Amino acid sequence: MLEYDVVVIGGGPAGMAAAIAAYDSGAKTLILERDVRLGGILNQCIHQGFGLHYFKEEMTGPEYADRFRKEVEKRGIDVMLEAMALSIGEDRTVTALSPEHGLVKAKAGAIVLAMGCRERTAGAIALPGMRPAGIYTAGMAQKLCNIDGYLVGKEVVILGSGDIGLIMARRMTTEGAKVKLVLELMPYSSGLKRNIVQCLDDYGIPIKYSHTITRIVGNPRIEGLYYAPVGADRKPILEKEQYVSCDALLLSVGLIPENDLINGSGVEMSPVTNGAAVDENRMTSLEGVFSCGNVLHVHDLVDNVSEEAGIAGSAAARYAKGELKCGECVNVTAKDGVRYALPQRVNRGEGKVRLFFRVDNVYKGARLVVESGEKTLVGRKFQVLAPGEMGSVDIEKSDICGDIVVRLEK
Amino acid sequence: MEKFDVTVIGGGIVGTAVLDRLSRYQLKALLLEKCDDVASFTTRANSGIVHAGYDCEPGTLKAKYNVLGNPLIWKEAEELDVPHLKCGSIVVVGEDGLDGLKELERKAKANGVEVQILDREETLKLEPNVADRIAYSLYAPTAGIVSPYQMAIGYADRAVSNGAKIVLEAPVTEIRSKGGEYILSTPKGEFSTRLVINCAGAHGADINDLAGAEHFETTYRRGDYFVLDSTERKNVNTVIFPLPTAAGKGILVAPTADGNVIYGPTAIDTNDSEDVASSLDSLDVLRASVPLTYKRPAFNKCIRVYSGLRTLIGHDFVIGKSKLRENFIMAIGICSPGLTSAPAIADEVLSMAQETLHAEKKAEYVTVMPRHKRIKELSEEEIEKLIAEDSRYGRIVCRCEKVTEGEIVDAIHSPLPATTVDAVKRRCRAGMGRCQGGFCGTRVMQILSRELNIPLSEVKKGLGANIARYRVKEVE
C-alpha cells in the first residue's frame, strides 16, 4: 500500500497544475496518468493559442504541457504512467492498474480528480443513416493527424462547431483536404469566436447554423450525407434536405466530463456541467475529494484549467494536513440566461472568490448580476456573452449574506 | 483446388453452429463467409434474446427449434464462455391486455414452454420499472440474453479448434456441378465439395438460385435500436416485451449480456438486403413506444444506434434437403427466433448431412473452450497473477470497458483471428463503451498493425474500409 498526502488522478494540464500546487503546499504527491506520457490532450493540440492568459505568451499545446511537465520533474513529484485508476475506496484508497506495477493501491490524504473529458459520439447523438467507416470524433481525427501522421479524408464535412472541430477544419485544410461544410445545430457556435474567425472565415469554409445531418450514406465507407435546416424545435425540416458528398465526417458535438470513477458513488453531481458540484476550493460533496479541469466542467481555455487546478491542488494539500477550514456554506445557483455558475457552494469567511459562469444563448449588452441574500454583489454589463465563452466575476466572501444567485438582466 | 466433404455457406449464427457440429466428425469441413469476419450482418445486429418459445405458432419449425434450442444455447454459451444471463422475460400489458396474454399462455402450453401470468404486484417484484399502466405480465423464466455475435464467434472458434476451415472474404459467386461434386467459385479461389449447406442468411435465396435449388421470394424487415450506457443496466432486470403483433415480437427493453440496455427493434419492411440505415422517423417510433412498457426511458444515455435486418421467406424457417439438387441442404429464412433456434437447427442439419456423409466421430474434440481472460471479471489476486505472467494484461487500452492490451492481443490471435477493429470490438468489447472508441480506436489500430505486421493505413474498421487513409503531407 502506497501512502501519499495527495493523489492526483490524471496527468493532463489539470493534473499537472494540481500536483505542482499540492507539492508547493508541502504535500507528498502522486500523479496517476493512464497514457504513456504526461500532457493529456495538449499533446495532440499542436496549434498556437495556449498560454496567452496564464503565461502571457502564445505557445502550442505540447509547449504548454512541457512547461508543466518540467515543473513536475523539477520537483521530483512521483508520476506513474500507464496507470489507470479503477476505483476510489471509502478510505480514499485509489486502486489503479499498470503494466509495470500491477494493481496499485495508494492511500491518499486527499484526492484530486483531473481525468478530463471525452467527446460526444455519433451514437450519443443518434446520428441517423448508415454507420460506415469515415466518421470520426474531431479529437480522434486530430490524434491520427498530429500524433500518428495520417489524414482521414480529402473531402470533409464537420458536424458541430466545438473548438476541436474548428481547429481541425483549419488543420485538414492546411494538409490539403477540402473542408466543404460545417453544420451547427444551434443558431450560434459552441466554440470560441476567435476560432470561427481564424479557422473558418480565414479559409473561406462555410458554416451553416441551425442545420443538422438527416442521413449518412455509404457502406462500408461514407460517401456523403443529407442535411437540413432545423425548426425552432431543433427538428430537421426534411422538405429542405440537401446532399453533400464527402469521404470523412468529423464530429465536434460536445464534450462530456469523464466522471466514470465517481458516477454512482454518491458524489453530488451537477446535471448541467456533468461534473461534481464543488465549493470554491473545488472540493466535492465527498470530503477530501477535489475536482478540477475538464472533468469538473468543460473549459474553453487551458489557461483557466491551470488556474482552477492550482486552487484544487493547494486546497487538497491543506486538507491532507488538516489545515483546510470549511465554514458554513452558501449555495450558488444560476438562472435567467445563466446556464451554470461554478463553484456551486462557497464557504463563508474572508478572501476573494472567482465565480465562473456560462450563458445559454448569445446576449448583447446584457448585465450580469450576482446577488447574495438581499445584497447585489456584482452588476456588470457585458458587450457580448456567448455560450462558447466562459465568463468570470470576482466577489468578496465578506460580502456574502445569504445564498448566491447569478443571473442576467437583458 | 482444395477438396472438402462439406461446405457451409454463410458465417452467421446458423452457419457457425452447423460448422461446429460438423467439426466433431472425421470430415473436411469448410465454411465460406463473404465478410471479413463471421457474425458480420444479421447476427451482429439483433436483440440477443434467448427466447422461451411461448409465442411461436404451435406446429411451426420456429416453435420446434426455439423450444429445442433454448436449453442448448444456455449450455453452449457456458461451454464457449460467451456472456449470457437467464434473466427471464415478461410480456407486459395494460388492463385490456389479459386476453392477449391468455392466448400466449395457450400457445406456450401447446409448445411445452413454462410461463406464468402475473398481476401488477408480482410483475413489479420482477421488474420495478414497468410502466404505470401495466396491469399484467406473462413471465417466462427460461428466457434471457446472450451475446449473439460472441456466440457465433464462439462456435467458429470451437469449429476451427476442432479442425474445420473458415475462409473469410469469400462470397460464393458461382456454384456448378462436376463429377458428383459441387465447385464453388469465390474471390479466394475455387473449392470442391460433396455437400453444400446453405446458411447464407440475407442472401440465402440467392445461393439457392446460384445452385439451381428451390427459388424463394425474400422480404426483409429492418429494425432500429438504441444502445444505452451501462449505467442504465441497474434499471432493467428482465427482457420486457409488449404483446407480439404480426410484425414481430414488438419493441423490447432488455439488458444485454455485455451489460448495456437496448431499446428496439422497430419493424420496417424493405426489399433491400443491405438496408441497415437507421431513420429519423423509426428512431422517433422508439422514443414514443418505449414509455408504453417501461417507465425509465433514458434516451439521453444513448451510446449507439444500430439497425439489423430480419430475412423473411414466407412465415417460417426453411430447413431441409433440396428436392431439386442432390446433396444441398438449406437452413434459410432464419428470422426471429433464429438465435435461440440455431443450436437445434444445427443438430438437425447435421443429421441431414450425415445421411450423405456417414462420417465417424473424431476420437477427441473440444467441447469446453478455454476461458477468455477478462480483467473486469477477475479477482485482485487473479489480476496480480496474470500481470506477473504478462504485463500486457495491466495495460488498459479501452478505458470505458476496461479492456487490456492482453485481451486485445488474445482476440487477434484467437482460433478465428480478429483482423479488423470491428472484429476486435466484437470479441473483447474494446471500443464498445460510452466513448465508442474515441480514445482507444487508434490504439487498437496500432496493436492490429503490430500484431498483423501491416501498416496503420491498412488496418480496417471492417468490411474492407480503412481508417487512417492518407499520410499527412501526401495529399496532392
Side-chain angles (χ1 to χ4, degrees):
Chain A
M1 175 80 75
L2 304 170
E3 287 198 23
Y4 284 90
D5 296 323
V6 175
V7 172
V8 180
I9 304 176
M16 290 193 291
I20 291 164
Y23 180 92
D24 289 349
S25 303
K28 185 185 172 201
T29 303
L30 169 69
I31 300 177
L32 293 170
E33 165 54 42
R34 56 194 165 192
D35 212 335
V36 293
R37 63 178 76 83
L38 291 174
I41 213 70
L42 284 178
N43 291 323
Q44 68 186 57
C45 298
I46 64 172
H47 53 282
Q48 289 279 338
F50 299 91
L52 282 167
H53 300 263
Y54 199 81
F55 291 114
K56 310 290 177 218
E57 60 179 296
E58 192 173 24
M59 52 183 86
T60 65
E63 284 167 347
Y64 190 97
D66 204 47
R67 286 275 174 104
F68 280 88
R69 190 177 55 76
K70 285 191 174 122
E71 293 298 317
V72 169
E73 279 175 5
K74 203 164 83 188
R75 287 166 176 75
I77 296 171
D78 287 352
V79 177
M80 212 176 267
L81 295 174
E82 290 194 282
M84 170 90 191
L86 298 177
S87 65
I88 298 174
E90 278 182 11
D91 57 348
R92 283 196 294 274
T93 299
V94 180
T95 303
L97 193 66
S98 132
E100 193 184 343
H101 308 282
L103 267 181
V104 178
K105 299 226 175 222
K107 194 166 163 33
I111 293 169
V112 180
L113 305 172
M115 293 90 77
C117 59
R118 66 171 183 272
E119 298 177 279
R120 186 168 277 129
T121 66
I125 60 167
L127 195 65
M130 296 296 284
R131 294 158 300 282
I135 301 174
Y136 310 81
T137 58
M140 182 177 179
Q142 186 179 47
K143 176 172 184 290
L144 278 165
C145 186
N146 294 346
I147 304 276
D148 303 315
Y150 289 88
L151 204 60
V152 296
K154 293 183 184 180
E155 287 200 309
V156 184
V157 174
I158 298 176
L159 176 65
S161 59
D163 288 312
I164 313 171
L166 301 176
I167 294 291
M168 282 310 290
R170 176 175 65 187
R171 184 80 185 99
M172 301 285 290
T173 304
T174 58
E175 280 298 335
K178 168 87 182 152
V179 179
K180 299 175 93 171
L181 190 56
V182 178
L183 299 166
E184 168 58 57
L185 178 68
M186 303 304 285
Y188 50 79
S189 165
S190 55
L192 295 170
K193 177 75 182 163
R194 74 174 196 211
N195 283 336
I196 294 280
V197 174
Q198 294 171 5
C199 301
L200 299 186
D201 297 353
D202 287 359
Y203 293 86
I205 297 168
I207 176 163
K208 292 195 179 201
Y209 293 106
S210 300
H211 276 69
T212 195
I213 293 174
T214 51
R215 196 160 25 123
I216 301 288
V217 179
N219 189 35
R221 168 168 297 284
I222 189 168
E223 288 162 15
L225 55 88
Y226 288 87
Y227 64 97
V230 295
D233 59 356
R234 288 190 223 157
K235 296 247 183 208
I237 302 162
L238 291 174
E239 303 78 65
K240 296 187 179 169
E241 213 176 42
Q242 279 178 277
Y243 180 79
V244 57
S245 65
C246 62
D247 65 355
L249 168 66
L250 307 193
L251 301 176
S252 184
V253 290
L255 299 170
I256 304 166
E258 205 168 37
N259 274 305
D260 297 2
L261 214 47
I262 57 163
N263 274 332
S265 71
V267 174
E268 188 197 335
M269 303 297 286
S270 157
V272 184
T273 60
N274 286 311
V278 292
D279 68 9
E280 77 278 18
N281 297 312
R282 304 302 186 268
M283 187 157 84
T284 69
S285 65
L286 199 60
E287 277 241 340
V289 177
F290 297 75
S291 178
C292 60
N294 280 354
V295 79
L296 179 58
H297 60 137
V298 174
H299 296 64
D300 321 313
L301 300 173
V302 71
D303 306 68
N304 290 337
V305 167
S306 302
E307 186 186 319
E308 179 173 87
I311 294 170
S314 64
R318 278 179 284 142
Y319 180 89
K321 288 187 285 179
E323 291 168 6
L324 188 69
K325 289 185 199 75
C326 294
E328 183 205 345
C329 267
V330 297
N331 291 317
V332 181
T333 50
K335 64 177 195 182
D336 298 346
V338 181
R339 209 161 71 81
Y340 74 84
L342 190 139
Q344 289 88 349
R345 288 189 302 276
V346 176
N347 293 283
R348 287 177 186 263
E350 297 295 317
K352 198 175 70 173
V353 174
R354 181 161 291 175
L355 293 178
F356 291 89
F357 65 92
R358 217 179 263 281
V359 293
D360 64 2
N361 208 328
V362 178
Y363 296 98
K364 288 195 174 144
R367 193 161 156 260
L368 185 95
V369 177
V370 180
E371 289 160 339
S372 173
E374 301 290 297
K375 210 153 91 184
T376 300
L377 306 186
V378 179
R380 194 198 304 173
K381 199 166 169 181
F382 284 82
Q383 266 192 331
V384 184
L385 284 169
E389 322 233 353
M390 196 160 68
S392 67
V393 287
D394 293 343
I395 59 168
E396 287 295 334
K397 279 187 178 182
S398 52
D399 291 340
I400 293 173
C401 52
D403 282 344
I404 295 171
V405 175
V406 184
R407 62 185 180 85
L408 272 190
E409 283 178 1
K410 288 148 220 173
Chain B
M1 183 173 21
E2 204 170 350
K3 280 177 177 276
F4 290 87
D5 296 308
V6 53
T7 300
V8 179
I9 302 176
I13 184 69
V14 178
T16 52
V18 169
L19 187 72
D20 169 61
R21 277 26 180 189
L22 294 168
S23 70
R24 299 173 177 193
Y25 289 81
Q26 295 175 28
L27 289 169
K28 277 198 78 180
L30 169 70
L31 185 147
L32 298 174
E33 164 55 44
K34 100 179 152 71
C35 297
D36 51 16
D37 191 14
V38 296
S40 280
F41 195 66
T42 308
T43 300
R44 82 164 173 187
N46 64 76
S47 307
I49 307 299
V50 178
H51 292 288
Y54 52 78
D55 64 323
C56 304
E57 208 50 60
T60 59
L61 294 179
K62 286 183 180 179
K64 176 181 171 185
Y65 294 116
N66 184 343
V67 173
L68 286 171
N70 178 293
L72 290 178
I73 205 162
W74 292 130
K75 179 175 97 91
E76 294 193 82
E78 201 63 55
E79 291 172 359
L80 300 172
D81 191 26
V82 171
H84 63 283
L85 184 68
K86 201 188 216 171
C87 56
S89 70
I90 51 176
V91 180
V92 295
V93 296
E95 283 294 346
D96 57 349
L98 194 55
D99 288 347
L101 292 191
K102 286 189 169 154
E103 170 61 14
L104 285 180
E105 193 182 32
R106 187 193 62 78
K107 285 185 185 173
K109 207 165 179 189
N111 292 341
V113 176
E114 179 194 351
V115 292
Q116 201 184 339
I117 292 184
L118 307 179
D119 64 16
R120 178 171 174 83
E121 205 175 310
E122 293 163 322
T123 304
L124 286 175
K125 277 184 204 152
L126 277 176
E127 193 61 83
N129 290 320
V130 294
D132 290 339
R133 69 171 194 94
I134 298 307
Y136 304 98
S137 69
L138 180 88
Y139 172 52
T142 57
I145 51 176
V146 70
S147 167
Y149 37 86
Q150 288 197 37
M151 200 67 209
I153 291 164
Y155 280 134
D157 277 343
R158 186 161 70 179
V160 170
S161 302
N162 286 329
K165 178 167 177 160
I166 295 176
V167 180
L168 300 171
E169 297 179 291
V172 174
T173 53
E174 193 189 349
I175 302 175
R176 59 182 201 275
S177 300
K178 193 177 168 192
E181 305 227 321
Y182 287 103
I183 310 293
L184 308 176
S185 304
T186 79
K188 289 286 177 83
E190 294 199 325
F191 302 89
S192 135
T193 183
R194 286 162 61 200
L195 178 72
V196 169
I197 303 174
N198 177 6
C199 303
H203 297 285
D206 301 337
I207 294 295
N208 257 36
D209 290 345
L210 278 184
E214 287 81 347
H215 175 75
F216 293 104
E217 292 302 324
T218 307
T219 59
Y220 303 95
R221 191 167 291 154
R222 198 189 85 224
D224 294 352
Y225 295 81
F226 282 97
V227 184
L228 287 297
D229 195 300
S230 54
T231 51
E232 287 300 304
R233 175 66 181 87
K234 62 183 184 301
N235 297 326
V236 187
N237 298 329
T238 60
V239 181
I240 308 170
F241 292 102
L243 265 185
T245 67
K249 294 182 170 73
I251 291 163
L252 58 84
V253 171
T256 71
D258 286 314
N260 294 89
V261 169
I262 52 170
Y263 305 155
T266 46
I268 295 145
D269 289 325
T270 168
N271 289 317
D272 182 353
S273 68
E274 306 285 327
D275 176 19
V276 286
S278 61
S279 62
L280 285 167
D281 49 348
S282 167
L283 296 175
D284 279 342
V285 167
L286 291 179
R287 289 188 183 98
S289 304
V290 169
L292 300 177
T293 58
Y294 177 63
K295 76 171 179 190
R296 295 186 70 162
F299 291 96
N300 60 340
K301 296 282 179 65
C302 171
I303 62 167
R304 176 88 172 162
V305 292
Y306 71 93
S307 301
L309 217 56
R310 296 91 136 177
T311 300
L312 311 168
I313 299 176
H315 294 288
D316 205 354
F317 299 155
V318 177
I319 294 165
K321 302 208 276 186
S322 168
K323 294 189 175 68
L324 301 179
R325 297 303 311 265
E326 245 185 292
N327 299 332
F328 188 92
I329 298 171
M330 304 167 288
I332 58 178
I334 311 294
C335 50
S336 177
L339 170 63
T340 317
S341 303
I345 294 172
D347 286 344
E348 184 79 53
V349 167
L350 173 71
S351 46
M352 289 177 197
Q354 276 288 60
E355 290 171 25
T356 301
L357 298 167
H358 309 292
E360 296 283 323
K361 259 205 170 165
K362 288 175 178 166
E364 276 181 33
Y365 54 84
V366 182
T367 47
V368 178
M369 292 292 282
R371 305 292 90 174
H372 296 104
K373 297 183 185 84
R374 300 183 184 107
I375 280 290
K376 233 172 144 178
E377 295 172 5
L378 299 180
S379 69
E380 293 195 345
E381 293 71 34
E382 289 168 319
I383 292 174
E384 287 284 20
K385 188 162 167 278
L386 192 57
I387 297 173
E389 286 163 14
D390 185 342
S391 66
R392 293 178 298 184
Y393 292 100
R395 185 175 290 119
I396 288 188
V397 175
C398 170
R399 301 164 178 183
C400 305
E401 294 295 317
K402 310 280 185 290
V403 182
T404 62
E405 183 185 3
E407 292 160 76
I408 292 166
V409 170
D410 285 346
I412 296 170
H413 298 300
S414 54
L416 178 70
T419 59
T420 69
V421 172
D422 282 351
V424 166
K425 179 169 89 170
R426 283 193 287 271
R427 279 164 183 75
C428 66
R429 286 191 64 72
M432 219 177 248
R434 56 181 67 90
C435 93
Q436 289 286 297
F439 282 121
C440 68
T442 58
R443 288 159 182 89
V444 170
M445 287 164 64
Q446 277 154 357
I447 296 169
L448 275 163
S449 161
R450 181 190 74 206
E451 297 292 318
L452 302 176
N453 197 21
I454 55 174
L456 202 68
S457 56
E458 291 299 310
V459 175
K460 305 288 196 292
K461 174 181 181 287
L463 307 178
N466 60 345
I467 297 163
R469 299 194 70 195
Y470 312 102
R471 289 313 301 245
V472 293
K473 312 294 178 208
E474 199 182 58
V475 180
E476 65 279 1

